[in-house]
Amino acid sequence: MNTANNQEEFEKSLKEEQPPAHWSAELRALWWDAQGDWSKAHACVDHLSTPGASWVHAYLHRKEGDLWNADYWYGRAGKRRPSHSLAKEFDFILSQFLSL
């Protein structure tokens, strides 16, 4: 399996030292972000160019405050930068990857 089964599994995994290795790069990036490690989150998706990885990459640059770079990655993902909070965006992105 490439993803977490649900939000509960994701949240329980946050007690571990690392995300499950079988998770997608996007989920692992979100896991590191939830742990407060932007650099490790970014490293998970920085080298990828899929729409999903680009979306997570965009979110991370938005969180960093680098809106020009975020907008570039939102464009690569086929999305626009949202106007809602980062927390809401995180929850929405996570829900999308959990449903795969």
Side-chain angles (χ1 to χ4, degrees), residues 25-66:
E26 295 89 352
L27 268 179
R28 285 182 280 135
L30 293 170
W31 188 93
W32 283 113
D33 180 62
Q35 295 285 22
D37 195 326
W38 187 94
S39 294
K40 286 184 180 177
H42 186 259
C44 289
V45 293
D46 187 41
H47 62 288
L48 303 174
S49 59
T50 64
S54 295
W55 189 16
V56 174
H57 200 158
Y59 157 79
L60 290 169
H61 281 294
R62 178 179 174 224
K63 185 172 189 176
E64 177 190 37
D66 186 352

